[in-house]
Amino acid sequence: MVPVFKEITHLPPFMGILTGLGVLWLVAELVHKEKPDEEKQHLTIVHALAKIDMASILFFVGILLAVAILENTHILTALATWLNKTIGQQSIIVAFIGVISAIIDNVPLVAASMGMYDMHQFPMDNFLWTFLAFCAGTGGSLLIIGSAAGVAAMGLEKINFFWYVKKISQLAMLGYIAGILVFLIQFKLLHG
């Protein structure tokens, strides 16, 4: 409902999220108003909010703030200009960004890429964004530390980083390259 809220009210999306949280809070209070306090305590929004992993939220807020600083100081634009002059081919640049996502988390990498390229020059459904989504999402699998799921698997399944590099990284790279080739061929066939 957040996109619908934004379209109707023209307010920022976070306002829709906060409105939804307020409605959920009100409904939860009304549904459980007859229950004793001890019984309904674990059913309240306050209890749910207390369980939020604040360290993860602050991590992502910090990364996104750092990306915003790089964008506002025009460092990301300068980086995009340099990459375009040095490499020239946009599909190679995006594939390179995908390889970098094996080391840097996808969220800040894509946020930084959004700061590098102008949304007026590259509108929402442009090839750049769909290809970037593929490369950043898939490239994170080249190393086990490149995705949150990989880091979780390291902890849960006791997967060793060097075992992953020896046994899986080569296969992931072959899959990454094959996926890029299929993506580019499919795009050429569908969009001429």
Side-chain angles (χ1 to χ4, degrees):
M1 292 302 295
V2 172
V4 173
F5 178 88
K6 182 188 182 329
E7 194 62 34
I8 292 170
T9 64
H10 301 290
L11 292 170
F14 78 88
M15 293 295 291
I17 293 169
L18 290 176
T19 301
L21 181 62
V23 169
L24 183 62
W25 196 321
L26 180 65
V27 169
E29 290 294 328
L30 291 174
V31 167
H32 303 296
K33 71 178 179 180
E34 301 296 325
K35 295 180 181 173
D37 286 341
E38 307 83 42
E39 188 177 327
K40 70 178 181 179
Q41 181 192 11
H42 72 281
L43 302 172
T44 64
I45 299 298
V46 173
H47 181 74
L49 290 173
K51 298 271 185 198
I52 291 176
D53 181 13
M54 286 304 290
S56 296
I57 290 174
L58 291 175
F59 169 76
F60 282 110
V61 167
I63 286 176
L64 295 175
L65 284 172
V67 168
I69 290 168
L70 292 173
E71 184 177 351
N72 285 323
T73 56
H74 305 289
I75 292 172
L76 293 177
T77 307
L79 177 62
T81 304
W82 180 79
L83 285 172
N84 286 334
K85 285 180 183 176
T86 306
I87 298 173
Q89 182 70 10
Q90 194 162 49
S91 56
I92 294 172
I93 294 169
V94 173
F96 178 68
I97 290 171
V99 171
I100 292 172
S101 77
I103 300 166
I104 299 173
D105 188 67
N106 300 355
V107 173
L109 192 63
V110 171
S113 299
M114 290 171 69
M116 289 170 61
Y117 298 103
D118 185 24
M119 291 296 283
H120 296 293
Q121 185 181 359
F122 301 100
M124 189 173 5
D125 291 333
N126 189 284
F127 164 79
L128 172 79
W129 303 119
T130 54
F131 192 47
L132 179 66
F134 170 79
C135 288
T138 309
S141 298
L142 298 176
L143 294 175
I144 196 164
I145 60 170
S147 68
V151 173
M154 280 180 78
L156 294 173
E157 299 297 324
K158 308 295 185 232
I159 298 172
N160 184 294
F161 174 80
F162 295 107
W163 177 88
Y164 188 91
V165 169
K166 283 195 279 186
K167 302 285 184 178
I168 307 297
S169 288
Q170 296 85 0
L171 295 172
M173 181 59 90
L174 287 174
Y176 181 66
I177 293 168
I180 286 173
L181 293 174
V182 168
F183 190 96
L184 293 174
I185 291 168
Q186 177 183 329
F187 188 83
K188 293 280 189 209
L189 290 174
L190 294 176
H191 298 95

